Amino acid sequence: MKNLLLSFVLIIFLSCTENDSGFKYAQFTSDDLSYLYYNSDTLTFTGDTIYFKDTITFMLNGSKIIRVPVATKIVKFFDPLWYNSNEAGIDGQSTLNLNKETGFFYADVDVSRQHTFDEVSEKFFYIKANGGFSFAKRFFTKDEMPLDTALVLGVHYENVLKFYPDSLSQTNIKSIYFAKKFGFIKIETLDGKTMERVLPV
């Protein structure tokens, strides 16, 4: 039993990236990366900050096509509780920078993995709307994240998270749909504004 435990620990350490000094970096899984706007399903993180930029197309209020810039930044970070440790966590944040005419300021998704041995990563969604209204949702386990399907502008999406803020949220956001590998696919406000993802033909 003791040998089995030691073997398991060794496998975990070998599965993380380690430089010549023995320093380790937590790594994103393909599932982690599917929540970020990023152009690959895999990533070997060595501690250097990674930047990725793209432009996403949305249909605004069912009538106007808009192009929205998105920026992703992946960085290392240190858990204060593990300050003297020889490993760093990994954090990725993707931000849609929205024009004020959309009714929103920005939409963020953040994925964070603190340690090389974490089974799941933490995910955080944040939408900032005009008038100071915002919505935030954080997940710590897969069980908290029921996935569904959605039909948006004739496209059928799978692996969709659906958020419906309640009255206690003090927000004017009615619903948010987020699909893995596609990001935010629909945002709707209580006053009738909608943003719907348009996929390239």
Side-chain angles (χ1 to χ4, degrees), residues 16-17 23-28 32 43 45-49 73-80 82-83 85-92 110-118 121:
C16 65
T17 296
F23 196 88
K24 305 173 191 69
Y25 295 97
Q27 298 294 312
F28 280 147
D32 292 336
L43 170 68
F45 186 65
T46 59
D48 296 324
T49 300
K73 184 178 181 181
I74 299 173
V75 299
K76 65 183 176 185
F77 75 95
F78 296 93
D79 184 340
W82 287 63
Y83 181 75
S85 130
N86 66 336
E87 70 175 60
I90 182 172
D91 182 83
D110 190 282
V111 181
S112 178
R113 187 174 288 275
Q114 294 189 12
H115 310 295
T116 57
F117 54 80
D118 285 350
S121 59

Side-chain angles (χ1 to χ4, degrees), residues 4 51 80 82 84 88 91 104 112 116 133 144 152 165 173 179 189 193:
L4 182 63
Y51 297 94
W82 287 63
N84 294 320
D91 182 83
F104 308 96
S112 178
T116 57
F133 297 106
E144 294 178 300
V152 177
I173 296 173
T189 65
K193 290 186 175 65

Side-chain angles (χ1 to χ4, degrees), residues 67-127:
R67 303 273 287 164
V68 178
V70 59
T72 297
K73 184 178 181 181
I74 299 173
V75 299
K76 65 183 176 185
F77 75 95
F78 296 93
D79 184 340
L81 298 177
W82 287 63
Y83 181 75
N84 294 320
S85 130
N86 66 336
E87 70 175 60
I90 182 172
D91 182 83
Q93 183 179 48
S94 293
T95 302
L96 286 170
N97 293 298
L98 303 167
N99 189 301
K100 190 175 181 179
E101 70 173 305
T102 65
F104 308 96
F105 285 127
Y106 58 86
D108 276 349
V109 57
D110 190 282
V111 181
S112 178
R113 187 174 288 275
Q114 294 189 12
H115 310 295
T116 57
F117 54 80
D118 285 350
E119 291 185 12
V120 295
S121 59
E122 179 181 325
K123 296 163 185 82
F124 180 70
F125 300 85
Y126 186 79
I127 309 287

Side-chain angles (χ1 to χ4, degrees), residues 131-135 165-173 190:
F133 297 106
S134 62
F135 171 78
D166 56 32
S167 58
L168 297 178
S169 300
Q170 296 184 339
T171 179
N172 66 339
I173 296 173
L190 292 171

Side-chain angles (χ1 to χ4, degrees), residues 163-166 171-176 187-192:
F163 308 115
Y164 301 99
D166 56 32
T171 179
N172 66 339
I173 296 173
K174 180 180 178 181
S175 65
I176 301 163
I187 306 173
E188 182 181 15
T189 65
L190 292 171
D191 57 1

Side-chain angles (χ1 to χ4, degrees), residues 6 39 51 55 64 67 76 83 86 89 104 107 112 114 119 143 146 148 155 157 161 168 175 177 181 186 193 197:
L6 288 173
N39 62 344
Y51 297 94
T55 304
K64 183 178 180 179
R67 303 273 287 164
K76 65 183 176 185
Y83 181 75
N86 66 336
F104 308 96
S112 178
Q114 294 189 12
E119 291 185 12
D143 294 339
D148 201 349
V155 178
Y157 293 89
L161 286 165
L168 297 178
S175 65
Y177 292 1
K181 295 190 176 181
K186 183 177 180 181
K193 290 186 175 65
R197 176 77 187 264

